[in-house]
Amino acid sequence: MNTSQIDVTATSAAPPHLERRVWALEQRQSRFAWLLVLPSLLLIALFIGYPVVYSFLLTFSTFTVQEVGWFNAGLSNYERVLGDRAFAGALSFTLLYTLVYVPISVGLSLLVAVLLQQVKIGTSLFRSLLFIPTVIPITMGLLMFQWVLDNNNGVVNNMLRDAGLGHLATNWLGDLDTVFGSLVAVTLWGFGPWILMLAGLLGIPKDYYEAARVDGTTPWQEFLYITLPQMRNTLVIVTTLQVIKALKLFVPIYMLTGGNPAGRTQSLYYLVFLKVNQGQNWYAYASTVGWVFTALVLGFSLLTTFLLRTRRD
Amino acid sequence: MLKRFRAYDSRYQFMLVVALTVLCFITIAPFIWVILTAFKPNSEIYTTDLHLLPQNWTLEQFGEVVQKGDKLPRYVWNTMIYSVTTISAVVLLSSMAGYALALLRFKGAQIIINSVLLILSIPWIILVVPILIFEFRLRIWNTQIGLILPYIALFLPMAIWIMRGAFLGMPSELGEAARVDGANEFTVFSRVYLPMAKGGVATVILLTFIDIWNEVLLAASLVINPQIANINTGLRILADEGQSFAFGVLSAAILLAMIPTFIVFIVLQRYYVRGISEGALAGF
């Protein structure tokens, strides 16, 4: 507060009584601003700030129902996590899912957006229909698939049997060979964030396409030489969002597989959730997995922020 | 030349329409299947001779949803309570903070803005253990307020970011004119600027609503009493009960539970694209 007083008196050439009024106004504004910000800050400090610090310290500590042994554990929690087979399994499953899901979802969302950008008939109908998965709460969409893919009464197996392909019918979400593919397919329902892609496409000036058309380009050339270069930033942003979303894979596992069959579909996020709910003796372990995961996500975000910055320059 | 171009164009449009029709079909096919199943009697659901359309249309599945329960309607009701209380608090607090951070000058504003951005990139998963311990001690674990408070706190940073964005472009002359006319700071905020930020408020309402109706992690960790379960953990409970709450009833339940989200989307849909773009870009 004192520095702002000095600033005002130093820079203004107004007569003294006005100076005092400006200063009083600034003080009043600053006090009012803090009044407005304070309730939010308190809640955030209590439920985000304090937990972040607490869980970070917990990764170096032991936790039992009776007591917290601050800094008793040294790095042993990290050693335990990194040497743990469950963690290794969850890490490789999560990374594999990310590697498969992200390219397909980015490609599909771009495809849908380009189709919607180019089509001139029934545009709003197509948009509304493709928007439906966004409107449906995610858990309900997933339950729907649990049942469409059901072994006995699911419509997919039924159609296969009707088509004489009964040997292909299987327990899609319960079989080791098919569960991964089924999870990827189910989470691709809705074709990813095509809305963001479309917003990016609509931002490209129309003259570019008109000028190209005068020169007699094909749609494929338009896509290659106008759309793709113009969409570079949107593509980087959407890819980043999808990577983070894929790394945080949780709700589909919770609703559809529960980490099974044979614990093969435990994502990192789900592993932490599972351990937290196994009781207080697992709290230190769960926090450590959580922080390793956080390091992964933050590292990736920093990388893309850096990429975006350098590309813009 | 022009004629050839036209012919090419219409063939191209035809291909686009075919491709989009296929994509739309893939999108809505499972959804239509669920809708139609909700109108089938059990004998047509548990059979190897499945038909697309119900042979005998019936409302018995909906009847059973309502009978069983007090269950599903209760989960929907609980989620309504969670969303209405959380959204009211988030809208109030975030418009206050967003206004201060956008239009008022005070020391520390920049630090707060940077912290909000940093918080947006923190995965919620590391917060669960400390919040659990904290709530055990305060004895609010497994209570409604024990879920609402973290919801408010965790949805606030994104909401503050959006509200700050909504206030940011507004001219400061309006406030100064009002102050010269003798308005106090609170009047300037509530009467001059807040009415102009309706778009931001609508965006915050919509995004918070979607997030709460999709939230599982906290709902499953902080609440285990089925009486106060939200819709997502509730549907998981119902699905686990398997035999007693079967596919027919479940699809009727899914349809009924979708109604609130549909209504909110229809009313606020034009704020959706702007909202997710702003939200998406916040981390960068």
Side-chain angles (χ1 to χ4, degrees):
Chain A
M1 305 292 154
N2 282 330
T3 46
S4 71
Q5 179 190 1
I6 292 163
D7 281 346
V8 170
T9 46
T11 49
S12 78
H17 69 282
L18 265 185
E19 269 169 31
R20 215 171 299 133
R21 266 177 61 190
V22 169
W23 176 68
L25 180 82
E26 287 222 341
Q27 266 240 318
R28 215 168 51 213
Q29 242 191 39
S30 159
R31 216 180 306 145
F32 183 63
W34 275 104
L35 205 69
L36 291 181
V37 174
L38 214 58
S40 297
L41 286 189
L42 278 178
L43 270 171
I44 290 174
L46 209 60
F47 285 97
I48 301 177
Y50 166 77
V52 166
V53 175
Y54 193 106
S55 75
F56 186 64
L57 297 183
L58 208 55
T59 63
F60 305 105
S61 315
T62 54
F63 189 96
T64 58
V65 186
Q66 290 83 26
E67 56 169 0
V68 194
W70 292 114
F71 302 109
N72 269 354
L75 289 174
S76 67
N77 283 326
Y78 287 94
E79 282 163 16
R80 188 164 146 225
V81 165
L82 295 176
D84 188 7
R85 200 175 286 174
F87 174 78
L91 182 66
S92 60
F93 172 75
T94 309
L95 291 180
L96 182 66
Y97 172 82
T98 308
L99 244 93
V100 175
Y101 171 81
V102 173
I104 304 179
S105 79
V106 170
L108 271 178
S109 61
L110 183 62
L111 172 76
V112 168
V114 169
L115 291 178
L116 283 173
Q117 175 209 29
Q118 302 269 308
V119 79
K120 294 192 185 93
I121 311 154
T123 315
S124 58
L125 176 70
F126 286 131
R127 268 197 220 183
S128 315
L129 289 178
L130 289 166
F131 194 62
I132 286 180
T134 315
V135 180
I136 297 174
I138 196 168
T139 48
M140 298 175 200
L142 291 170
L143 270 184
M144 191 172 87
F145 278 105
Q146 177 171 45
W147 169 44
V148 166
L149 295 172
D150 185 70
N151 196 9
N152 301 315
N153 302 97
V155 64
V156 170
N157 278 352
N158 217 276
M159 272 163 46
L160 285 173
R161 285 190 204 106
D162 281 354
L165 296 166
H167 59 284
L168 288 179
T170 173
N171 187 3
W172 295 98
L173 288 164
D175 197 319
L176 267 182
D177 297 328
T178 54
V179 66
F180 184 79
S182 306
L183 275 174
V184 172
V186 164
T187 45
L188 281 170
W189 186 57
F191 304 115
W194 58 265
I195 297 175
L196 285 177
M197 290 283 195
L198 189 60
L201 284 177
L202 297 178
I204 303 175
K206 283 219 171 78
D207 329 2
Y208 291 11
Y209 292 102
E210 277 156 21
R213 227 160 269 175
V214 171
D215 293 339
T217 51
T218 63
W220 177 242
Q221 284 172 323
E222 277 175 24
F223 175 75
L224 221 55
Y225 298 112
I226 301 174
T227 308
L228 267 188
Q230 290 288 318
M231 286 288 282
R232 200 165 59 183
N233 271 351
T234 309
L235 280 169
V236 175
I237 290 168
V238 170
T239 308
T240 311
L241 288 175
Q242 291 299 91
V243 169
I244 292 171
K245 186 184 156 205
L247 290 173
K248 287 183 183 168
L249 174 72
F250 170 64
V251 180
I253 307 295
Y254 172 84
M255 289 306 281
L256 294 180
T257 71
N260 290 316
R264 289 290 189 81
T265 61
Q266 279 179 5
S267 63
L268 282 172
Y269 221 83
Y270 189 78
L271 179 68
V272 180
F273 172 77
L274 209 64
K275 293 300 177 191
V276 168
N277 288 294
Q278 266 177 20
Q280 312 208 337
N281 291 335
W282 288 96
Y283 280 4
Y285 175 95
S287 295
T288 312
V289 179
W291 271 96
V292 173
F293 174 76
T294 305
L296 197 73
V297 172
L298 288 185
F300 184 79
S301 311
L302 280 178
L303 186 76
T304 34
T305 313
F306 179 71
L307 276 179
L308 271 180
R309 289 256 166 82
T310 49
R311 277 187 181 180
R312 263 181 205 152
D313 291 344
Chain B
M1 177 69 194
L2 192 66
K3 214 173 171 185
R4 247 177 61 205
F5 182 72
R6 281 243 181 87
Y8 174 73
D9 201 40
S10 69
R11 207 173 61 215
Y12 177 56
Q13 285 295 320
F14 177 73
M15 276 158 50
L16 288 173
V17 169
V18 170
L20 278 167
T21 310
V22 172
L23 292 176
C24 284
F25 176 77
I26 298 173
T27 305
I28 59 173
F31 186 52
I32 287 177
W33 183 252
V34 168
I35 296 179
L36 291 173
T37 303
F39 293 98
K40 289 176 185 171
N42 274 336
S43 59
E44 287 180 39
I45 296 172
Y46 295 104
T47 170
T48 47
D49 181 34
L50 286 172
H51 293 274
L52 177 62
L53 289 175
Q55 307 298 298
N56 306 293
W57 291 80
T58 168
L59 286 175
E60 68 183 55
Q61 309 292 3
F62 290 92
E64 208 173 329
V65 171
V66 180
Q67 260 179 24
K68 283 238 174 196
D70 38 308
K71 278 183 184 162
L72 184 94
R74 189 192 294 142
Y75 301 143
V76 174
W77 175 246
N78 290 340
T79 317
M80 299 272 230
I81 293 177
Y82 292 135
S83 23
V84 171
T85 47
T86 307
I87 289 172
S88 323
V90 165
V91 165
L92 179 74
L93 296 177
S94 70
S95 44
M96 283 161 49
Y99 169 74
L101 292 173
L103 295 177
L104 299 180
R105 286 179 174 199
F106 63 105
K107 294 222 113 206
Q110 197 55 45
I111 297 172
I112 298 176
I113 292 167
N114 291 342
S115 325
V116 166
L117 274 180
L118 186 69
I119 285 169
L120 282 176
S121 55
I122 292 176
W124 289 14
I125 193 83
I126 54 170
L127 309 176
V128 176
V129 165
I131 292 179
L132 269 172
I133 299 170
F134 181 61
E135 295 205 345
F136 286 146
R137 292 206 182 123
L138 287 182
R139 300 187 190 284
I140 54 170
W141 178 72
N142 205 11
T143 63
Q144 284 176 312
I145 192 73
L147 189 55
I148 292 170
L149 283 177
Y151 271 177
I152 298 173
L154 271 81
F155 291 127
L156 259 178
M158 174 66 80
I160 291 176
W161 187 253
I162 289 169
M163 287 313 295
R164 178 177 170 267
F167 283 115
L168 211 51
M170 296 183 187
S172 58
E173 287 84 359
L174 289 173
E176 276 155 27
R179 281 183 198 109
V180 169
D181 289 346
N184 63 27
E185 286 296 328
F186 183 75
T187 318
V188 171
F189 164 58
S190 64
R191 294 285 164 81
V192 179
Y193 286 109
L194 193 55
M196 293 198 295
K198 274 182 196 148
V201 171
T203 310
V204 168
I205 293 177
L206 181 64
L207 288 191
T208 314
F209 184 87
I210 298 171
D211 282 346
I212 291 179
W213 282 74
N214 285 326
E215 210 286 321
V216 171
L217 180 68
L218 292 179
S221 306
L222 299 181
V223 167
I224 54 164
N225 179 0
Q227 301 284 331
I228 54 170
N230 84 345
I231 183 71
N232 296 320
T233 47
L235 280 176
R236 182 67 262 170
I237 295 169
L238 293 184
D240 284 342
E241 281 174 16
Q243 291 305 317
S244 64
F245 214 90
F247 288 142
V249 191
L250 203 55
S251 35
I254 290 175
L255 279 190
L256 290 178
M258 275 176 199
I259 295 173
T261 23
F262 260 103
I263 294 172
V264 170
F265 255 102
I266 288 167
V267 177
L268 295 177
Q269 59 170 324
R270 66 199 177 96
Y271 299 101
Y272 181 74
V273 176
R274 209 184 85 187
I276 58 164
S277 314
E278 276 174 37
L281 292 172
F284 293 96

